[in-house]
Amino acid sequence: MSDKLAHMNSDNRLKVYIETYGCQMNLADTEIVLGIMSKSGYSPTDTMNDADVVLLNTCSVREHAEEKIRQRLSTIRSQKPDKPNLVVGVLGCMAERLRSNLLDGRKVDVVVGPDEYRRLPQLLEGALAGNQGLGVRLSRTETYDDIIPFRAEGISAWISVMRGCDKFCTFCIVPFTRGRERSRTLAGVVNEVEQLVRQGIREVTLLGQNVNSYRDGEKDFADLLAAVANVEPSVRIRFTTSHPQDLSDKLIDTIAAHDNLCKYIHLPVQSGSTRVLEAMNRTYTRDHYMELAKRIRARVPGVALSTDIIAGFPTETDDEHRETLSLMEEVRYDGAYMFKYSPREGTPAYKMGDDVPEDVKTKRLSEVISLQQKISYEINESLVGRTFEVMVDGTSRKSDEQLSGRTDTNKTVVFPRGTQKPGDVVKVKIDRVSMATLFGEVVCIHN
Ligand code: 5AD
Ligand code: SF4
């Protein structure tokens, strides 16, 4: 142990600050990293100013995400003159993708990829003594099953149940930065949910790049969901992300059978054109996806669907772009995450070139966004007059006099503050809506 670490441990523990970018997996990983760090004598802080160690947990999925990190690193570095001992680290997908390149120029002291977080305390100890550290090996087995994540107080918790991705969609860097698929044990996940419930957690989200590939021996993701749902029927269970090829009828029936499995499925389609889907290596056709969406709607009444869409994938024509718009009209998603294609070096699509001109990409993306906004608004409008069970999250972002919560279909509902606490479930009758929010009055309280 370095002198500095030994000294600080005896009275004032070294403080670590983590900024998290990208997907929910990264948010969950940050909690795992903080779990590892607290066990090694660090104390988490949520202000960068008191930190001895600043870590950025990064995303590589689009170039824009990486640019933001580069700028952030420069800003942090420019503060370094008055903080000569500050240790700066890069974690996550960008660490894995750029590896030792990130150490060049000595802007960064440690670079640690998603499967090497157990080595962080050791690498940071080296960094505190002035040595740069690199940990970017990918693992076929690491699931951090035994690590107790450090969670901020609240009513919701994330649990990553599987890591990595074997799908190799041609545009996606994730299989290269997060490695091969591997799952935690069913017993380990259930045990963690039981503990969280004892601590007062009211909502659990099971996470994985492709949760439908979850496996523990004979048990699949539907078995895991059922087991988790049975832990405590009043605790809401969510999950993300589902790949359309692996979403089984068994899973659909499991969601339908348990009241506390939220009726909300994020089912990325990426494109409405079978030809583009093939070029993306998505392994399903437009027809397969449409049938799946119909089956889900038929068996899970009231279900909300959301999706991811990429505009301007290489070789995408105007007609193929219109197929995406028409699929959106047919499925009528409650929400969507919509992106311009961003070429990622090392992916198969990168070799196809980036042949859709920027202005065409921009136009296609804006068409996709406006259509989704219109559909989201229309769906919300059709809910006026209906009453929903809303789990309270806390104060509304816009007004202290309003509370905000979510329906099990993941819609945000804002209503006048009463005596409700986060985690309570209230019935709210909707009287007006916007594209992203439902507004209403409480009609009855339980819990
Ligand atoms: N360009 C644009 N969007 C991408 N995504 C993944 N890779 C890229 C890329 N290269 C999107 C996909 C995925 C979501 C997490 O990010 O839509 O589902
Ligand atoms: Fe990327 Fe496709 Fe895996 Fe999702 S399923 S992480 S888009 S490779």
Side-chain angles (χ1 to χ4, degrees):
M1 185 177 283
S2 74
D3 284 353
K4 188 172 176 192
L5 191 53
H7 166 72
M8 300 297 274
N9 275 347
S10 60
D11 49 340
N12 193 1
R13 303 189 326 156
L14 278 175
K15 292 202 177 73
V16 56
Y17 168 78
I18 309 189
E19 256 169 38
T20 309
Y21 297 82
C23 63
Q24 285 172 312
M25 288 295 289
N26 266 10
L27 289 165
D29 276 3
T30 288
E31 295 178 343
I32 287 170
V33 168
L34 287 175
I36 293 170
M37 302 285 289
S38 338
K39 225 170 116 190
S40 301
Y42 288 83
S43 94
T45 170
D46 46 21
T47 43
M48 195 172 99
N49 282 346
D50 2 298
D52 303 285
V53 174
V54 172
L55 302 174
L56 304 185
N57 194 0
T58 63
C59 172
S60 287
V61 91
R62 282 169 291 277
E63 181 56 28
H64 176 68
E66 290 199 354
E67 272 158 23
K68 250 176 40 190
I69 303 293
R70 283 193 199 96
Q71 280 166 15
R72 191 71 187 120
L73 282 172
S74 302
T75 313
I76 295 169
R77 272 303 146 188
S78 65
Q79 294 166 353
K80 189 145 174 168
D82 50 297
K83 277 206 146 194
N85 292 327
L86 182 73
V87 168
V88 177
V90 175
L91 313 180
C93 287
M94 212 172 147
E96 194 60 50
R97 198 177 83 78
L98 297 171
R99 301 175 167 227
S100 58
N101 295 332
L102 278 168
L103 295 172
D104 295 348
R106 301 196 72 88
K107 271 198 178 167
V108 174
D109 304 300
V110 291
V111 172
V112 186
D115 287 348
E116 292 244 69
Y117 294 147
R118 286 179 201 271
R119 287 184 59 211
L120 252 174
Q122 175 210 335
L123 293 168
L124 286 172
E125 200 183 314
L128 287 159
N131 303 314
Q132 287 185 308
L134 182 68
V136 288
R137 254 183 315 218
L138 288 172
S139 157
R140 286 182 176 264
T141 53
E142 179 62 273
T143 60
Y144 302 108
D145 207 16
D146 57 316
I147 302 288
I148 302 168
F150 182 95
R151 294 188 165 98
E153 271 181 32
I155 57 148
S156 301
W158 295 289
I159 302 184
S160 46
V161 300
M162 55 86 63
R163 302 179 69 83
C165 184
D166 289 353
K167 287 289 174 198
F168 290 94
C169 301
T170 54
F171 51 79
C172 188
I173 196 74
V174 166
F176 305 96
T177 58
R178 286 189 164 268
R180 301 289 57 77
E181 285 174 357
R182 68 219 96 120
S183 301
R184 286 182 60 182
T185 61
L186 185 140
V189 175
V190 169
N191 191 8
E192 190 168 345
V193 174
E194 285 168 350
Q195 281 180 32
L196 288 168
V197 170
R198 279 198 292 274
Q199 290 161 17
I201 287 293
R202 308 297 303 146
E203 178 185 71
V204 171
T205 305
L206 306 184
L207 296 177
Q209 236 71 48
N210 174 19
V211 283
N212 306 123
S213 309
Y214 176 87
R215 279 248 148 234
D216 177 10
E218 293 295 298
K219 305 283 187 193
D220 63 12
F221 186 62
D223 298 318
L224 178 72
L225 264 188
V228 167
N230 284 334
V231 169
E232 169 50 58
S234 70
V235 168
R236 282 183 174 179
I237 311 297
R238 301 186 182 280
F239 59 93
T240 198
T241 289
S242 292
H243 190 290
Q245 204 212 350
D246 302 333
L247 201 152
S248 65
D249 285 354
K250 178 179 169 189
L251 179 61
I252 300 172
D253 291 339
T254 305
I255 296 166
H258 294 262
D259 281 346
N260 62 332
L261 291 183
C262 288
K263 307 300 181 258
Y264 168 75
I265 303 180
H266 183 60
L267 195 61
V269 67
Q270 314 297 359
S271 165
S273 149
T274 294
R275 211 254 338 143
V276 173
L277 288 170
E278 198 180 339
M280 288 176 162
N281 190 32
R282 288 293 289 180
T283 67
Y284 54 84
T285 60
R286 176 188 174 111
D287 287 350
H288 170 97
Y289 187 96
M290 285 308 307
E291 271 160 34
L292 176 62
K294 278 187 201 135
R295 251 188 349 263
I296 294 172
R297 288 213 193 277
R299 294 193 201 189
V300 189
V303 70
L305 296 179
S306 64
T307 201
D308 293 346
I309 288 172
I310 297 179
F313 183 79
T315 72
E316 182 189 66
T317 65
D318 272 334
D319 280 348
E320 287 164 342
H321 159 64
R322 278 192 286 275
E323 287 188 73
T324 298
L325 298 175
S326 76
L327 178 132
M328 292 169 72
E329 303 250 29
E330 274 185 59
V331 178
R332 292 185 67 77
Y333 295 104
D334 291 75
Y337 299 91
M338 299 155 284
F339 314 101
K340 258 190 240 180
Y341 171 69
S342 169
R344 309 310 292 137
E345 201 176 346
T347 60
Y350 190 79
K351 299 186 199 86
M352 298 170 69
D354 183 17
D355 63 353
V356 178
E358 188 58 27
D359 58 329
V360 176
K361 271 192 205 168
T362 305
K363 180 164 173 287
R364 288 182 189 168
L365 179 64
S366 76
E367 285 173 9
V368 166
I369 292 174
S370 340
L371 175 58
Q372 185 52 47
Q373 288 177 335
K374 174 174 154 285
I375 294 171
S376 296
Y377 184 74
E378 286 169 0
I379 293 177
N380 286 353
E381 216 178 14
S382 74
L383 304 176
V384 171
R386 296 259 308 271
T387 298
F388 291 96
E389 290 199 341
V390 175
M391 187 177 281
V392 179
D393 288 328
T395 303
S396 146
R397 269 188 299 159
K398 296 216 173 120
S399 155
D400 280 354
E401 276 131 53
Q402 308 275 316
L403 291 177
S404 138
R406 268 165 308 130
T407 63
D408 86 330
T409 52
N410 211 26
K411 292 191 184 289
T412 301
V413 181
V414 170
F415 54 96
R417 177 188 287 281
T419 53
Q420 304 87 358
K421 306 179 302 304
D424 287 352
V425 174
V426 292
K427 285 200 171 167
V428 179
K429 186 169 180 198
I430 305 307
D431 51 32
R432 69 189 172 88
V433 299
S434 70
M435 209 167 56
T437 312
L438 313 180
F439 300 87
E441 298 283 336
V442 175
V443 291
C444 147
I445 303 179
H446 52 108
N447 246 353

